[in-house]
Amino acid sequence: MYSLVETFDSIQGEGLYNGSLCFFLRLGGCDIGCGWCDEKKSWDESKHPKSSINEIIDLVIKSPSDIVVVTGGEPLMHNLDELTIELKKHKRVHLETSGAYNLTGDWDWITLSPKKRKLPLPEIYKKTNELKCIIYNDSDFEFAINESKKVSKNCLLYLQPEWSKKDYMVEKIINFIKLNPRYKLSIQKHKYLGLQ
Ligand code: SF4
């Protein structure tokens, strides 16, 4: 049984798959405590109803999307092995995680968004497809550089301004990318469009 905060179809606003229709599966539970977190409602797992894998699959198969994004909260606080076995029978399966817990599940795409408060476990770095570092203040550029050294050569590198600082930070990110062109800018396209 999984604590399920919400499910919805929307346009992915971040990373390589931005613009793609996805079915978002938001699991409850996160103990990392980022001050700027925009999903604080997901932190307390006990506040959300539990759903079985069968109940989740019933929702998934009704979605027109080819991609399920498992997000949170911190989804890796749950063991995701059995859930992803069933999800993969129907859709591509993507993970959005801080990497702070053991990597479970079988994934087509892993987005790692490391947090200074609780660093990723070493095992996830080489399996990461895209590294998304949130830029909230100037020291986050150095953090992003250090985290980028841990992923594979083929891993995509994204810098994403924290939403409340976006007007100030976008220009700094663009200037950084001019000097470090391996990085790409990720904006939260869904938020600009007023989507979920
Ligand atoms: Fe929020 Fe994600 Fe940080 Fe958890 S890891 S506090 S869900 S931003």
Side-chain angles (χ1 to χ4, degrees), residues 30 32-34 36-37 42-43 72-73 98 115:
C30 185
I32 297 181
C34 307
W36 40 259
C37 178
S42 70
W43 287 6
S98 70
K115 304 296 185 303

Side-chain angles (χ1 to χ4, degrees), residues 21-23 63-68 90-94 108:
L21 180 68
C22 294
F23 180 80
S63 165
S65 169
D66 293 331
I67 302 171
V68 176
H90 305 279
K91 311 275 181 178
R92 273 181 67 84
V93 187
H94 293 194
D108 296 303

Side-chain angles (χ1 to χ4, degrees), residues 57-90:
I57 296 297
D58 282 347
L59 297 170
V60 164
I61 59 181
K62 288 182 189 141
S63 165
S65 169
D66 293 331
I67 302 171
V68 176
V69 178
V70 180
T71 187
E74 174 40 69
L76 290 179
M77 289 178 76
H78 307 266
N79 185 311
L80 300 172
D81 289 337
E82 283 183 45
L83 177 62
T84 53
I85 288 170
E86 294 306 316
L87 289 174
K88 287 193 86 166
K89 292 177 183 170
H90 305 279

Side-chain angles (χ1 to χ4, degrees), residues 4-196:
L4 197 57
V5 178
E6 58 185 351
T7 62
F8 55 94
D9 286 301
S10 190
I11 299 300
Q12 171 62 281
E14 306 176 1
L16 183 69
Y17 284 85
N18 82 84
S20 299
L21 180 68
C22 294
F23 180 80
F24 289 84
L25 189 60
R26 188 180 308 288
L27 299 181
C30 185
D31 63 357
I32 297 181
C34 307
W36 40 259
C37 178
D38 55 5
E39 291 301 337
K40 287 180 177 156
K41 68 178 185 292
S42 70
W43 287 6
D44 185 348
E45 182 181 345
S46 68
K47 288 193 171 152
H48 305 285
K50 298 261 194 262
S51 297
S52 67
I53 291 178
N54 285 343
E55 288 168 333
I56 292 172
I57 296 297
D58 282 347
L59 297 170
V60 164
I61 59 181
K62 288 182 189 141
S63 165
S65 169
D66 293 331
I67 302 171
V68 176
V69 178
V70 180
T71 187
E74 174 40 69
L76 290 179
M77 289 178 76
H78 307 266
N79 185 311
L80 300 172
D81 289 337
E82 283 183 45
L83 177 62
T84 53
I85 288 170
E86 294 306 316
L87 289 174
K88 287 193 86 166
K89 292 177 183 170
H90 305 279
K91 311 275 181 178
R92 273 181 67 84
V93 187
H94 293 194
L95 173 67
E96 293 182 343
T97 180
S98 70
Y101 286 85
N102 287 332
L103 179 61
T104 54
D106 180 15
W107 302 99
D108 296 303
W109 191 259
I110 296 177
T111 302
L112 175 64
S113 184
K115 304 296 185 303
K116 289 176 187 165
R117 297 173 65 95
K118 197 163 186 173
L119 289 173
L121 298 178
E123 62 181 5
I124 200 169
Y125 287 106
K126 297 299 179 201
K127 295 177 180 164
T128 296
N129 300 102
E130 63 183 12
L131 179 73
K132 181 183 70 185
C133 293
I134 309 302
I135 304 297
Y136 179 78
N137 57 37
D138 289 345
S139 70
D140 291 329
F141 287 103
E142 191 181 342
F143 179 66
I145 290 168
N146 286 334
E147 290 301 285
S148 307
K149 290 174 184 165
K150 302 175 188 173
V151 296
S152 71
K153 285 204 306 275
N154 299 326
C155 181
L156 302 174
L157 305 179
Y158 287 97
L159 300 177
Q160 181 172 296
E162 192 278 321
W163 184 251
S164 70
K165 296 278 194 82
K166 63 185 184 311
D167 295 339
Y168 175 67
M169 278 301 173
V170 160
E171 191 180 341
K172 289 195 168 210
I173 293 173
I174 292 170
N175 287 336
F176 179 89
I177 292 173
K178 285 178 180 170
L179 298 172
N180 302 276
R182 200 186 149 201
Y183 293 83
K184 300 173 192 296
L185 172 66
S186 174
I187 56 168
Q188 294 177 294
K189 194 182 277 184
H190 57 296
K191 288 193 180 176
Y192 283 97
L193 296 172
L195 300 174
Q196 195 172 7

